[in-house]
Amino acid sequence: MATLALLSLTSPSLSSPRSLPLSTPTRLGVLTPTSRWARRTVHLPVICSASEPNQNAESEPETTSSSSDLTYKLCAGLGGIGFLETTYLTFLKLTNSDAFCPTGGGGSCGDILNSEYAVVFGVPLPLFGMVAYGLVATLGVQLLAAKSLPFGTGKSDASLVLLGTTTSMAAASACFLYILSTQFSGTSCSYCLLSAFLSFSLFFITLKDFGFEKVQKEAGLLVCIAVLVAVTLNRSYTAPVSSSPADVDLPYVATEITTPSTPFAISLAKHLNAIGAKMYGAFWCSHCLEQKQMFGREAAKELNYVECFPGGYRKGTIMAKECIDAKLEGFPTWVINGQVVSGEKDLLELAEASGFEMKEFSPTLIE
């Protein structure tokens, strides 16, 4: 609604042509016939009204700022929740502690957390999640507070980092959901589902805030990030593990003890059983077999032996829960009177560790 910038008003300089004779002197001089009617122009400044365009111009950045603030708040909140969850899971992984699982029992969550899929190139998987969620939460807080970002990073670059991080998290969650449905069918893991929900939520929130036009420009980068995450995880899970048997598909086979038992070995085996001592082992472990051979056929039957892979061993197989709870570092492992004794031991060492009385046995009988 703009008006004229200048308004020209024209009026006679004298009230009437009869007011002064043609040759009458005045302060302004003598009026000639040619200047009988003098014209005076008055310029009045008029301010243009532009209230409506200003309002529209101001409303657009306010709306954009409000939308971005909501995005940063959600990133800070959801990222903080994910950081707390993955910190707890990292602590469990590093301390070999049992996870509290709200649904499906503690074994369901523990089975997954203790599987080979919970480690990427030797690093606990929750540790990666803790770093990613921590970065998202930190960026959300700093962008919300309009504080200066590290290394002189601008808001547009920080938003791109935020989108790239959530893209990698969503890609990783998609891979883990596939593994959960194929390798752990029928197993419930509340922590896995919560992490997937947070990752996908953060991805779609940052994607919407980034804008469709900008996303089109960065689509190639986002696809590369997702592919890189998928390839890295696949590479990690298909890499050979030195601590596993050479054959990754071993059906369970009961080991056969061929040596006879001495009276000393039988008495020691009964004593170990009576005091609650346990021997943890695996059917494919050669040292476990040699340990049983020391006791012999009859005595080995008296031992309280725990097989850690009763269903065989194949890729993705986890140990029996009792073996996980014992926090084993290798096979065989003895637990005698609450003391952990790792490795293959001779009978005299086991007798001494268990407090077995050997007075009635002569050295020849012990051998």
Side-chain angles (χ1 to χ4, degrees), residues 229-294:
V229 170
V231 171
T232 301
L233 292 176
N234 181 68
R235 177 64 179 170
S236 172
Y237 296 145
T238 55
V241 182
S242 59
S243 59
S244 301
D247 189 356
V248 296
D249 190 3
L250 296 174
Y252 174 77
V253 177
T255 55
E256 182 180 0
I257 311 301
T258 58
T259 58
S261 299
T262 64
F264 171 73
I266 295 175
S267 298
L268 177 59
K270 290 181 178 180
H271 169 72
L272 291 171
N273 195 344
I275 64 174
K278 292 183 179 181
M279 173 187 170
Y280 297 88
F283 69 94
W284 44 262
C285 170
S286 59
H287 293 286
C288 300
L289 177 59
E290 291 174 5
Q291 182 74 87
K292 293 179 181 179
Q293 292 279 35
M294 290 184 188

Side-chain angles (χ1 to χ4, degrees), residues 83-98:
F83 179 77
L84 292 177
E85 179 206 14
T86 49
T87 300
Y88 170 67
L89 295 180
T90 302
F91 170 77
L92 295 180
K93 188 67 178 175
L94 295 177
T95 59
N96 292 322
S97 302
D98 292 331

Side-chain angles (χ1 to χ4, degrees), residues 118-152:
V119 178
V120 177
F121 292 114
V123 180
L125 179 62
L127 186 59
F128 288 102
M130 186 174 70
V131 173
Y133 282 118
L135 177 61
V136 170
T138 301
L139 285 176
V141 171
Q142 289 190 325
L143 289 171
L144 186 62
K147 292 183 178 180
S148 59
L149 298 171
F151 311 110

Side-chain angles (χ1 to χ4, degrees), residues 143-177:
L143 289 171
L144 186 62
K147 292 183 178 180
S148 59
L149 298 171
F151 311 110
T153 306
K155 275 198 171 184
S156 59
D157 293 334
S159 298
L160 181 60
V161 172
L162 200 59
L163 179 60
T165 304
T166 57
T167 300
S168 65
M169 294 164 64
S173 294
C175 294
F176 296 137
L177 287 177

Side-chain angles (χ1 to χ4, degrees), residues 11 17 42 73 83 175 181 298:
S11 62
V42 180
K73 289 179 181 178
F83 179 77
C175 294
S181 62
E298 298 79 11

